[in-house]
Amino acid sequence: MTITQVGSPSRGRRHSVALRAGALLVGMHVFVGLLTLVWLPYDPNAFTGGRLEGASLQHMVGTDRLGRDLFTQLMIGSRIALQVGTGAVAVGAFIGVTLGILAAFASKWLDDALAATLDILIAFPTLLIAMLVVAASDQASLWSAILALGIALSAIVARLTRILAKRVLVMDYITAARTSGSSWPKIVFIHVLPNIWPTLSVNFALQFGLAVIAEASLSYLGLGAPPPNASWGRILQEAQGTVYTAPLGAIAPGIALVSLAIGVNLLADGLRERVDDRLGDR
Amino acid sequence: MSLVRIDRVSFGYAGGRPVLEDVSLEIGPGDTVGLVGESGSGKTTLLRLLLGLARPDRGKIFFDGTPLDPGNRSFMRDFRRKAQIVFQDPYSSLDPRQNVSAIIAEPLRSLRIAGDHAGMISDALEAVGLDPNVAGRYPHQFSGGQRQRIAIARAIVAGPKLLLADEAVSALDLTTRVRIVDLMSKLSRNMSLLFVSHDIGVVAALCRSIVILESGRVVEAGDTAAVLADPQHPYTQRLLGSVPRLVFEEH
Amino acid sequence: MLLEMDRVSVRAGEKILVSDLSMTLDRGERVGLIGESGSGKSLTALAATGLLPSGLTASGSVLLGGQQVVGVPDQVLDRVRGTGAAIVFQEPLSALDPLMTVGMQIAEPLARRARRNGAPITGTRLKEAVLELIDDVALPDERRIARAYPHELSGGQRQRVAIAMALACEPDLLIADEPTTALDVTTQAEILILIDRLVQERQMALLFISHDLPVVANTVERVMVLRLGEAVETGTVSEVFNRPQHDYTKSLVAAAKRFDAAMEGRT
Ligand SMILES: Nc1ncnc2c1ncn2[C@@H]1O[C@H](COP(=O)(O)OP(=O)(O)OP(=O)(O)O)[C@@H](O)[C@H]1O
Ligand SMILES: Nc1ncnc2c1ncn2[C@@H]1O[C@H](COP(=O)(O)OP(=O)(O)OP(=O)(O)O)[C@@H](O)[C@H]1O
Ligand SMILES: [Mg+2]
Ligand SMILES: [Mg+2]
């Protein structure tokens, strides 16, 4: 039997396993990241054992080729990944939402021009844009990575914001606000942003995942945070030469990266279900 | 002097054929005018022009003797205080993320109207037949007719001089409709009302004069009772002829 | 039986919004649901199709085309495919995507239905079918309407687009929640004639929700009167409107007569 509803979107009501699993994975990384600020098992740059040791009680995932504790480095990697993810999403959100709202309000030709530009930008891989931005800044640092990824993500955010805002702007409650004498900035903050926020926030979670992976790639290419920042990408890159003798050095950062990326995506999924459900969505 | 004077106004949406042609209309203080016409005849468009949301291609609109000019800020500020609208679609006219109290408070806040807002909000809710205790709830928790009444409460809360009601009672059942119609006729003692409706019965019960619009042209206007008793234009006659009645033969 | 509702209740937490409602609807039958604003008409329609928003729960039993609806998750209802029910919701705008042309929105259910019938249509033929359907619901200038975005249409035009989308599904059961509120009497008459024709040609069942008693009287055979979520009276149109039993029904009929009278100039 088909039920065709003309008028209300479907509303699933699954118990959100995704939300919980995602929160658990992300929560774990957040905990570890915060922990590094106050406690580390070893000095991350000290030679604490033999080179390329396997897993042992002292070194849970062994040591690298300079004899540093890998687990300590992975923990720091969690913090860096979270820092870069949060920073990049914040930068991308700020630029993207501002641009998107302006485009939604712009006159037709300006809006069309902006939309076309965004489409072209989005056609380029996020990583490529980020690499160009890093290359343009004179020195690679944590901040240049954040800025680069933020700028790269902003095009996607801008495009989404533009579409969502346009949907809201045709509603009568916007006209009602205008005829009540509300100014445009007020309308944006009181009506437009609250209505597009739930969908945007789901997207931000996805962007976060993208940023984390892109940061690892940048670091892998030597364009990310320079040493002594132990980014997962750099650990991976350093372990590359010894991948046959000490595979753990390459597998461990990979697992850390994937677990955070999957966690964030699950969280986004769970959030989306919540958003669809809330307000009976009518 | 009339509160609103629409003088030979024509209008077409960009790239389309004209929607309104040579429309003239006057609304005096305390007048109740019914605007009746087929779906798509340009009723909502006329209200949009009246609110300064679009500019006529030709002709002029005067409010209180001053030409309506969306560019004139001080005039518009005063005008926004005096003219309010109830939209046709009760769903899209309420922000789903605001609760009832915030929705109704919006004109009070934006127009910087002094006084006890909470009290004014519950008075407005009561006037449209809703329990003032619902002020904390969100639009999706209401039925269509209840939402329409929230929109009416928002329009009357600031005490406008001119109320534009676009099918404001169409989603209401008759008993509630009687209540709203009574409310409007009470309010219209110190407010003018332009009441758009396809329901001639309601217009007959509420409005002193009636304007009949057919594809953007006024085909008949005048005293409601007179027009209904003796419609001149064939379109009006057809309109009156097709009103469904409760009087029916038993099958 | 196409639709069998047996002691259906709808609750929001502790609050009972619809209580113990039972009704049946078979092919070619037309039932009207009347009652004042907030009496539970729309919620009844939603409960009948398992589309209640989250926060509301239904109990009792609803068999729609033999399939139990109450307590069955959306995924199951979506999976069981076949002939269906279409709903025209009270708010036409919520049915429509503001950023998609009306023509494309009508084409979608039309193409889906054709595929399911085993005769897929595409391209020009689909476009023609869309225009035909737009014309069916008494919309003028169908080419312009097909190209327009929802907010470029008048309220009544949007409502007819929503009706067209529902009809494109060729449903066995059409649930129409105040489908003509935004329409003038002449257009309304055309729509009602169209629905009437479809009921007869396709043996479609109709659940018609309206507060407009004269319209209900002219459209359906049986009515159910709802008050505060309870069915206070059911019967044929002439029974209920000519000899209302319940005080509430009497007041509804009296109010309808008041407007009829105003029209005659006997205020
Ligand atoms: N933004 C727009 N752009 C282009 N055409 C429009 C726009 N808005 C309305 N129209 C067209 O203008 C005509 C008049 O529309 P309007 O909304 O004024 O009608 P109405 O009398 O209010 O009808 P209804 O009773 O159905 O609400 C319609 O044919 C409609 O399709
Ligand atoms: N999601 C919800 N949460 C809580 N209460 C709700 C919800 N949806 C509807 N209600 C309440 O349930 C009652 C019945 O609503 P329903 O929409 O069925 O009314 P209706 O008969 O369709 O009225 P109308 O003619 O005004 O559309 C109303 O009092 C409404 O406030
Ligand atoms: Mg209109
Ligand atoms: Mg309803």
Side-chain angles (χ1 to χ4, degrees), chain B residues 29-93:
Chain B
D31 267 1
T32 45
V33 179
L35 182 59
V36 177
E38 209 171 29
S39 172
S41 57
K43 306 181 294 292
T44 303
T45 305
L46 187 62
L47 297 192
R48 294 182 66 85
L49 292 177
L50 249 178
L51 283 170
L53 297 169
R55 287 174 198 244
D57 297 336
R58 273 194 312 281
K60 271 213 151 61
I61 298 174
F62 297 91
F63 185 81
D64 248 350
T66 321
L68 183 74
D69 173 15
N72 181 343
R73 287 206 149 193
S74 67
F75 168 81
M76 284 315 276
R77 202 159 338 132
D78 184 51
F79 174 69
R80 294 280 179 239
R81 251 173 208 267
K82 290 182 175 158
Q84 284 290 324
I85 182 166
V86 181
F87 285 99
Q88 190 166 6
D89 187 319
Y91 161 74
S92 88
S93 67

Side-chain angles (χ1 to χ4, degrees), chain C residues 164-245:
Chain C
M165 282 168 69
L167 295 181
C169 310
E170 292 184 19
D172 289 338
L173 168 64
L174 179 68
I175 300 182
D177 193 353
E178 316 263 12
T180 60
T181 42
L183 299 180
D184 59 284
V185 283
T186 25
T187 316
Q188 170 172 283
E190 287 185 61
I191 294 292
L192 294 179
I193 289 170
L194 171 71
I195 291 180
D196 189 63
R197 203 188 75 212
L198 292 176
V199 168
Q200 291 183 6
E201 279 175 8
R202 295 186 193 157
Q203 282 295 295
M204 188 171 78
L206 176 69
L207 180 59
F208 190 86
I209 300 177
S210 176
H211 53 256
D212 195 332
L213 266 50
V215 168
V216 173
N218 289 316
T219 310
V220 302
E221 294 129 13
R222 280 191 294 141
V223 280
M224 173 179 270
V225 186
L226 277 187
R227 176 165 188 257
L228 302 174
E230 270 181 73
V232 294
E233 193 161 349
T234 46
T236 65
V237 166
S238 63
E239 274 166 18
V240 173
F241 289 169
N242 286 332
R243 290 176 297 280
Q245 297 299 313

Side-chain angles (χ1 to χ4, degrees), chain B residues 9-21:
Chain B
V9 158
S10 300
F11 177 80
Y13 288 97
R17 50 179 179 70
V19 172
L20 292 172
E21 282 180 86

Side-chain angles (χ1 to χ4, degrees), chain C residues 242-256:
Chain C
N242 286 332
R243 290 176 297 280
Q245 297 299 313
H246 197 280
D247 283 345
Y248 177 65
T249 319
K250 283 180 188 157
S251 75
L252 286 182
V253 173

Side-chain angles (χ1 to χ4, degrees), chain C residues 8-27:
Chain C
V8 173
S9 301
V10 177
R11 284 187 187 75
E14 291 294 288
K15 220 168 84 192
I16 298 183
L17 301 174
V18 174
S19 68
D20 267 351
L21 199 119
S22 302
M23 92 164 99
T24 58
L25 198 56
D26 210 349
R27 286 183 168 282

